[in-house]
Amino acid sequence: MNKTNATSLTPLLVCQNLSKQYGSFTALFPMNLIIPKGRIVGLLGPNGSGKTTFIKLLNGLITKSSGDIQVDGNPIGVESKKVISYLPDRTYLNMSNTVNEILDLFEDFYEDFDRSRALSMLESLQIDPKSRLKTMSKGTKEKVQLILVMSRNAKLYILDEPIAGVDPAARDYILRTIIQNYNPNATVIIATHLISDIEQILDDVIFLQNGQVTLYTSVEEIRATHGKSVDEYFREVFRC
């Protein structure tokens, strides 16, 4: 995406010796990570690598065992949640609600929610705001959820498997929506197994394995150094 080297940009997310343990099991080993503003970052790794744990820590859904996380200079808490827009891999919306009712909820709850942007995206997809979620197909529900998340003027967007379970045409729309609607000074973290589908929009990638960061670099560096796409290199690194 022809952006400046990540190391020269202003930090948005800083992790220092961040770790998470469940009893004697270590889900995330001490992590030191600096993610700057204005990047689209792929969070990649096999099942059990620590992606979900990391995402939950960022969103304050679980507490860290040690270390520190700061988002836009704030520890995880009320202030950090104001600037994070999160798309979980499972819906938390009330299926009985209409889209309009959910827009009302987001408008009341988030100061940075742009209702006009959401309505514009809904119109482009011919989704009736008066429709109830329970009447929609899985793909349409996925689109509505993404529209809600991307209609916030957040500083950090965290998208957990945003294109899983939808058809290729829907995937194309979702990727276009991410590119066209996020704040260019914000950062997007996308956790996914469908690397080849999202590689085109990524600036950087983080490889996680067994709760440890094994690689954090730019997509351009992988192509230049290894002569491979991110998907090809990932398959090589994590080959069974």
Side-chain angles (χ1 to χ4, degrees):
M1 296 184 68
N2 299 320
K3 294 184 181 176
T4 311
N5 188 297
T7 57
S8 68
L9 299 178
T10 305
L12 175 67
L13 170 62
V14 178
C15 301
Q16 295 179 306
N17 295 317
L18 175 67
S19 71
K20 178 62 181 178
Q21 289 183 290
Y22 296 97
S24 61
F25 173 71
T26 302
L28 200 67
F29 286 85
M31 173 191 287
N32 291 288
L33 195 65
I34 298 175
I35 299 179
K37 297 178 180 179
R39 308 295 283 181
I40 299 182
V41 183
L43 182 63
L44 313 176
N47 290 331
S49 61
K51 297 192 302 296
T52 298
T53 297
F54 182 49
I55 287 172
K56 286 182 175 180
L57 286 167
L58 293 181
N59 286 285
L61 300 175
I62 56 175
T63 57
K64 63 186 187 297
S65 296
S66 63
D68 185 52
I69 323 173
Q70 289 200 354
V71 177
D72 199 34
N74 295 302
I76 299 303
V78 174
E79 294 304 313
S80 71
K81 290 179 180 181
K82 288 180 181 179
V83 301
I84 295 175
S85 191
Y86 172 44
L87 177 71
D89 61 344
R90 296 181 182 179
T91 184
Y92 57 91
L93 301 174
N94 187 333
M95 292 295 112
S96 296
N97 283 348
T98 65
V99 176
N100 268 330
E101 289 170 339
I102 297 169
L103 293 180
D104 290 340
L105 177 65
F106 266 64
E107 199 167 29
D108 288 342
F109 202 74
Y110 298 110
E111 292 180 1
D112 61 3
F113 183 70
D114 187 338
R115 190 186 189 104
S116 62
R117 184 192 298 179
L119 289 171
S120 176
M121 285 190 275
L122 289 166
E123 183 179 5
S124 70
L125 284 173
Q126 299 181 323
I127 298 174
D128 185 356
K130 300 186 187 69
S131 298
R132 297 190 184 278
L133 259 65
K134 64 184 178 183
T135 67
M136 298 176 180
S137 67
K138 175 178 172 58
T140 303
K141 289 173 187 173
E142 296 271 359
K143 292 172 187 174
V144 169
Q145 290 182 101
L146 183 70
I147 286 169
L148 292 166
V149 168
M150 299 311 296
S151 292
R152 288 185 57 198
N153 293 307
K155 293 184 178 180
L156 177 60
Y157 299 85
I158 302 174
L159 313 179
D160 192 358
E161 296 292 352
I163 58 175
V166 297
D167 61 74
R171 289 178 189 175
D172 289 342
Y173 174 80
I174 287 170
L175 296 179
R176 287 199 308 273
T177 300
I178 292 170
I179 287 293
Q180 294 171 2
N181 290 281
Y182 91 101
N183 179 347
N185 293 316
T187 283
V188 182
I189 296 176
I190 305 175
T192 186
H193 290 96
L194 301 172
I195 301 169
S196 61
D197 290 292
I198 70 158
E199 181 171 342
Q200 59 183 303
I201 71 168
L202 297 180
D203 295 308
D204 307 312
V205 291
I206 297 169
F207 283 8
L208 274 176
Q209 186 172 28
N210 298 322
Q212 300 182 70
V213 175
T214 59
L215 179 71
Y216 174 31
T217 190
S218 70
V219 170
E220 291 178 356
E221 181 66 23
I222 289 177
R223 291 171 181 159
T225 302
H226 302 282
K228 300 177 185 292
S229 68
V230 174
D231 185 52
E232 290 169 335
Y233 187 58
F234 179 89
R235 290 172 187 270
E236 178 182 294
V237 170
F238 294 102
R239 185 169 50 231
C240 295

